[in-house]
Structures are given as C-alpha cells and as structure tokens.
Amino acid sequence: DAKTTQPPSMDCAEGRAANLPCNHSTISGNEYVYWYRQIHSQGPQYIIHGLKNNETNEMASLIITEDRKSSTLILPHATLRDTAVYYCIVRGPAAGNKLTFGGGTRVLVKP
Amino acid sequence: DGGITQSPKYLFRKEGQNVTLSCEQNLNHDAMYWYRQDPGQGLRLIYYSQIVNDFQKGDIAEGYSVSREKKESFPLTVTSAQKNPTAFYLCASREVVGNTQYFGPGTRLTVL
C-alpha cells in the first residue's frame, strides 16, 4: 500500500467547511484512496473512498487531483461531533487484509 | 439494524487469566478481522478470516487465538501468553463486493 502524509492537526470553526489534505505521491494506478475517522475511544468509522473521480456522500466529499498524488476530504459544515482523528489510507483492490493507519490528522472543531 | 457488535465495552481481568472477546456481524460479510490499538498508536492486525473455518495470523498473533465456526461470529481469545494484553481491541468485517472494512465499537481490555 502507498504511503500517505497528513498534517498532524488542524482546527476548524463550527459550521464552516473543513478541508483535510492528504499526499500520496507513490499511489499506483489501481489503488483507491480511503478516509476513515476515529472519535475518541470508538472504533474507526468509514467515511468515503475513491479511485480517480471526485466522490460525495452524506458525510463528506473527496476531491482527488488529476495526477492522483494528493486528495482532500471536505466536511461541508463541521459540527462539534466531527472532532476526531481522520485517516487517509491508500490501498489496492487486492489488498483484502489489513488496513494500515498512519498518524492521521487530529481535527478539533471549535464553537 | 445492521452492524458489528462487540461485547463487552470494558473488560477487566487478572493477570494470567484467559479472556474471550466477542465480535458479531449481521452484514453478511465473509471476511472478519481483529486489530489491537495501543494509546496514541495506529491499528495492528492480530488475526483475520476470509471464510468460515479458516483464519490466518496477522502481524501480532502471538498470545492470541481465534475461531470462525459461523459466518457471523469471530471471537478472539487473549491468552495468558500475551505479555501486554491491556489495549483497545477492534473487530472489523469487509463487504463481499468492494474492499471497505467496517469496524465495531471496540472492547477496552485492562489486565490488572
């Protein structure tokens, strides 16, 4: 699985959009970008994933650059309950086993 | 209501005792996983199972055992051979189509 780089922490104002960057410059053509988050003392929660096209669901949007070397997770209207550690993971379709969580970005949503 | 359940949420055991953590899913997923998470650390894979009656060791299987007698259930036993069992244990399952893993709420095990 390709290595990812994320900022260690960021703050966001409640009600504003939170833009979380992730660099994955060594990503292969068949590897997907996954985002999970982990709220304190809970299990990781799947947010969204994509291959090359931008994706949107009820939780967030995922923007992947054209060269696929980086991506941005967008939480459109951050709430206090979005405070969590957000993990960007790159993995191929055949990598059916372990998920490798890096350091992630600790997001603090402030009122 | 579909999902993954783990019980109990908190578990305390004396040193030297074996303990079994429960993981159940009603998502009809074939593959199931056990991870361990230590404070401030990422997840480490203990065991995984791709199908009933079959399982493989992950990166840190020593001191742990599993069984997969039913598709819905993948219990993890932490044995007395595990030197540092105090941790947060997470169970996950993977959908049949696609590669997304979904996690349970976790069990926090403390060995006294």
Side-chain angles (χ1 to χ4, degrees):
Chain A
D1 296 342
K3 182 182 165 103
T4 62
T5 303
Q6 299 176 254
S9 65
M10 64 182 293
D11 293 345
C12 176
E14 188 180 18
R16 304 294 294 270
N19 297 302
L20 283 62
C22 179
N23 287 322
H24 32 80
S25 58
T26 59
I27 192 170
S28 300
N30 65 346
E31 289 182 316
Y32 288 73
V33 179
Y34 283 79
W35 283 84
Y36 285 80
R37 72 181 183 184
Q38 188 171 23
I39 296 169
H40 184 61
S41 295
Q42 296 184 22
Q45 179 186 21
Y46 164 77
I47 301 174
I48 198 168
H49 75 282
L51 182 63
K52 58 177 72 174
N53 297 321
N54 298 338
E55 303 286 346
T56 295
N57 63 20
E58 64 279 3
M59 288 185 68
S61 294
L62 174 61
I63 307 299
I64 302 174
T65 58
E66 192 168 341
D67 63 8
R68 302 186 70 240
K69 293 184 185 300
S70 65
S71 60
T72 300
L73 178 76
I74 301 172
L75 308 178
H77 303 287
T79 70
L80 298 179
R81 289 180 294 180
D82 291 323
T83 292
V85 180
Y86 287 76
Y87 296 97
C88 170
I89 299 165
V90 172
R91 60 201 306 262
N97 301 325
K98 70 179 176 183
L99 281 175
T100 301
F101 284 69
T105 297
R106 188 172 297 275
V107 174
L108 176 61
V109 180
K110 296 181 174 179
Chain B
D1 189 20
I4 303 171
T5 57
Q6 291 185 244
S7 60
K9 186 173 177 63
Y10 298 97
L11 189 56
F12 297 88
R13 279 294 181 269
K14 291 183 178 179
E15 193 172 341
Q17 288 182 332
N18 292 354
V19 60
T20 297
L21 281 58
S22 167
C23 177
E24 305 278 331
Q25 55 97 3
N26 60 3
L27 300 168
N28 199 34
H29 290 175
D30 283 317
M32 297 186 73
Y33 307 80
W34 274 105
Y35 293 87
R36 167 182 172 140
Q37 186 175 36
D38 292 287
Q41 304 296 313
L43 278 63
R44 292 186 288 169
L45 183 66
I46 306 173
Y47 266 98
Y48 63 98
S49 169
Q50 306 268 34
I51 198 168
V52 174
N53 292 323
D54 186 51
F55 48 82
Q56 286 78 42
K57 292 181 179 180
D59 297 326
I60 56 164
E62 185 175 351
Y64 300 97
S65 66
V66 292
S67 62
R68 187 81 186 280
E69 297 177 2
K70 298 187 299 181
K71 188 175 184 178
E72 303 79 18
S73 179
F74 190 39
L76 173 75
T77 297
V78 184
T79 75
S80 57
Q82 168 49 233
K83 297 193 186 310
N84 296 296
T86 294
F88 189 43
Y89 289 88
L90 290 157
C91 177
S93 67
R94 177 168 59 87
E95 56 191 0
V96 173
V97 177
N99 209 17
T100 302
Q101 290 189 24
Y102 298 91
F103 288 82
T107 292
R108 190 167 298 281
L109 172 66
T110 302
V111 175
L112 306 172

